[in-house]
Structures are given as C-alpha cells and as structure tokens.
C-alpha cells in the first residue's frame, strides 16, 4: 500500500470514530446499608449528568419509607415492630437495589445490598 493510501485509511478511520457516540467509562456505584438506612456512592465520571437514582426495597409488604427516596443518595426505612406485625417480631432482612440512569435516561449502573428492617427509631 502506498503512503497516500495509508494516510487515506487513517483519515477515514479517524473521521468514522469521531462520528460514533463515545461510551461512558469510569462510572462506579456502591451501596452501603445498615438497619433501616442505605447510602449510595457514585462517581459520575464519563456520565451525562444529572443522574437519577431509583430505589427498591424488597422483603416484606410492611416496609415503610417515610420520605421519597428518588434521586437521593440516602434512603431510610423501617418496619412495624412485633406489636403491629406479629409475622415480623424482630428485625428481618430486606434487599435494597438502586438503579442509576444518566441525563438521557439510559441505565448506567445498578447495585444491591442486604439490610435489616426494624421498628421505627425515635
């Protein structure tokens, strides 16, 4: 191949790569939970912001989330104690999942963790 032909291939390759959408990289998500409280940590490098955070807490029909957790990095919850719910007299395990989407509403990450659900504190 001639030098001119090689230069043309390099030029065409760089032109095509400039037209294709770039992929997001370096995004990371972690979820930490304790009894009745979970916190999500995000590194949004390479992701179009603002991001949205959707929470799901599964494990019982009696989980109470006192405030809307959507788009918050912290979510608190509790469950009725034994006096109100005899099927769950003590703290019991739940699964917490967060789904993070970028500004274009494309899912960029998920994380899940286990927590305990117990009676309301305070």
């Amino acid at each position: 191949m001639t030098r001119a032909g090689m230069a043309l291939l390099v030029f065409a390759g760089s032109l095509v790569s400039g037209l294709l959408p770039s992929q997001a990289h370096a995004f990371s998500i972690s979820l930490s939970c304790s009894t009745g409280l979970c916190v999500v940590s995000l590194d949004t490098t390479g992701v179009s912001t603002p991001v949205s955070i959707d929470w799901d807490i599964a494990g019982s029909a009696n989980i109470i989330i006192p405030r809307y957790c959507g788009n918050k990095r912290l979510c608190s919850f509790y469950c009725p104690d034994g006096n109100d719910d005899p099927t769950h007299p003590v703290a019991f395990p739940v699964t917490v999942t967060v789904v993070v989407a970028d500004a274009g509403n494309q899912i960029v990450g998920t994380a899940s963790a286990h927590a305990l659900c117990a009676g309301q504190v305070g």
Side-chain angles (χ1 to χ4, degrees):
M1 180 174 277
T2 67
R3 190 174 275 184
M6 186 65 95
L8 183 59
L9 278 176
V10 169
F11 174 75
S14 65
L15 180 63
V16 169
S17 68
L19 297 175
L20 296 176
S22 62
Q23 296 293 318
H25 23 294
F27 175 79
S28 67
I29 179 175
S30 64
L31 181 62
S32 303
C33 295
S34 61
T35 301
L37 180 68
C38 291
V39 178
V40 64
S41 299
L42 302 171
D43 173 2
T44 57
T45 305
V47 174
S48 59
T49 56
V51 297
S52 63
I53 304 169
D54 289 320
W55 293 83
D56 180 53
I57 304 171
S60 170
N62 297 321
I63 298 169
I64 298 167
I65 303 171
R67 290 172 207 81
Y68 178 68
C69 291
N71 295 327
K72 304 258 190 270
R73 296 196 181 201
L74 181 136
C75 187
S76 63
F77 53 92
Y78 66 94
C79 299
D81 61 20
N83 294 330
D84 297 328
D85 183 1
T87 62
H88 296 108
V90 295
F92 62 93
V94 294
T95 301
V96 179
T97 302
V98 291
V99 177
V100 179
D102 66 10
N105 208 27
Q106 297 296 310
I107 295 174
V108 294
T110 62
S112 292
H114 296 288
L116 289 177
C117 197
Q120 184 175 12
V121 177

